[in-house]
Amino acid sequence: MSDAATTDLYEVTMALSYLREGMTSPATFSLFVRELPPDRGFLVAAGLESALDYLSGLRVGPEDVDAFASALHRPPRDLQPLLGMEFTGWVRAVPEGRIVLAGEPLLEVTAPLPQAQLVETYVLNQLSHQTVIASKAARCVLAAAGHPVVDFSLRRTHGPQAGFQAARLGAMAGFTGTSNVAAATALGIPAVGTMAHSYVEAFPTEEEAFRAFARCHPGPVTLLVDTYDTESGVRVAAHVLRDLGEHGPGSAVRLDSGDLGALAVRARAVLDAAGMPDVHIIASGGLDEHGVDELVRSGAPVDVYAVGTRVGVSADAPYLDSAYKMVEYDGRPVMKLSSAKASAPGAKQVFRHPGCVDVIGLADEPASGDGRPLLETVMRSGQRTGIRPTLDECRERLAADLAQLPPAARRIRAPIAPRATPSARLSALADRVRHGIEAETRAAAVRLWGEERTVYGSPRSVRR
């Protein structure tokens, strides 16, 4: 099977039905986040490049048809209309690394309806997962207040692919290194790491472990000092580093458990007393932006923060309330009116004003004042319109947007999330579409049931 089979079954059945009904006119779907997770003041757009790779390579092959048929318990010949389907549409999207707010589209797909429907799950999966991780990573960088942050998440991310993405997104957010060798090699990210507690336990003493590690890895080394007693471990590390002459810039001790703030103070005192002010202290062990923020606020003498599990899975907010909704079909704007899940009709654009004051307008309306459009055309006729951006370019975009974000939204504790507002044209279109849907629903109720019937779940009189 190819990636074409990475979809939900209902998308297969809908795409097949559309083909059989001859409904192949262009449809536009908008991907957006309804509400930000608790304790988030912003999101960082991410996952677009993975989605574009998928769309540009999409082709439903015989093995995919067989998989669809097996899942539906139908003969393969019934699924033959899907064979050979490729993505031939357009994509407009917010580039990776840009700040985005609730309610505004991260991406819009315009393609023949069966194609636009079949790709929903993969596109939604990539943007939702990577956006939530990138947002968590950016908050860690903000919390660190200029101190380096490195990625130690691979062991507990939800699979190797997710670990690779976490390393890339951390680098995009401003992390200075990763322990993930594959990501470091493929993406040109500095590789960082030290030893595990098992390494220390394998030797008769901490000192023997530290000396053996230094012999194997000449140059600046990082020694894990809390396997047994942290303060004692720091003293042993200082002794070994002095003997080896490895107490200049680059060498470090790592604290991985306990009261990291208090232990960092003691470790700094031991190192300074030993004449080693240049030996750094690295803190790890269950850290995310909240733990980093607490240590920074306390004035703990930590030089580098290593974040892992809680960031790699975005533990406090592991998902987004994201949606992929049709907003136009065959030139007709459409919308959803479900309670608490209403969508806005029509293809859209987001106009950003200074200070991340965003207005959501229609795609064909001009920007007002100093607003600048966020969504760019990134795919045309199924092909990318430009080259893949570098990590440096994405990182620069994010840094520029964070500088414009209101301080209240950048806060780690109790941030205030700004929200995009609709333009007058979008609001007017939404009103017209809503009224049209409601009028047709009432008329249909009259045709079916007469004047006195239940409409929208509550009894009401229906007049012609």
Side-chain angles (χ1 to χ4, degrees), residues 230-318:
T230 301
E231 193 166 345
S232 174
V234 176
R235 295 183 186 282
V236 173
H239 176 64
V240 171
L241 291 173
R242 185 191 302 108
D243 285 353
L244 296 174
E246 295 290 356
H247 54 84
S251 290
V253 297
R254 176 178 158 218
L255 308 174
D256 190 53
S257 57
D259 185 339
L260 295 175
L263 291 171
V265 170
R266 295 178 199 167
R268 185 74 272 157
V270 169
L271 293 169
D272 288 350
M276 298 182 176
D278 292 329
V279 172
H280 289 166
I281 296 174
I282 300 174
S284 63
L287 290 177
D288 62 2
E289 74 270 35
H290 298 288
V292 172
D293 180 63
E294 183 176 341
L295 288 168
V296 170
R297 286 175 178 272
S298 72
V302 174
D303 299 293
V304 179
Y305 293 95
V307 297
T309 302
R310 293 179 183 274
V311 176
V313 302
S314 189
D316 63 328

Side-chain angles (χ1 to χ4, degrees), residues 5 8 105 150 155 161-162 171 209-210 214 225 249 286 317 335 402 427 429 461:
D8 281 336
V150 296
R155 293 181 179 186
Q161 182 188 38
F210 293 166
V225 295
M335 67 187 299
L402 285 173
S427 296
L429 177 62
S461 294

Side-chain angles (χ1 to χ4, degrees), residues 127-191:
L127 268 73
S128 298
H129 172 250
Q130 295 191 53
T131 294
V132 80
I133 301 300
S135 306
K136 183 80 168 174
R139 281 166 54 83
C140 288
V141 173
L142 288 175
H147 294 87
V149 182
V150 296
D151 162 52
F152 277 12
S153 67
L154 177 58
R155 293 181 179 186
R156 296 194 181 98
T157 54
H158 297 155
Q161 182 188 38
F164 186 97
Q165 290 173 348
R168 176 180 177 271
L169 298 168
M172 187 175 79
F175 288 14
T176 59
T178 179
S179 64
N180 187 327
V181 175
T185 302
L187 302 173
I189 304 170

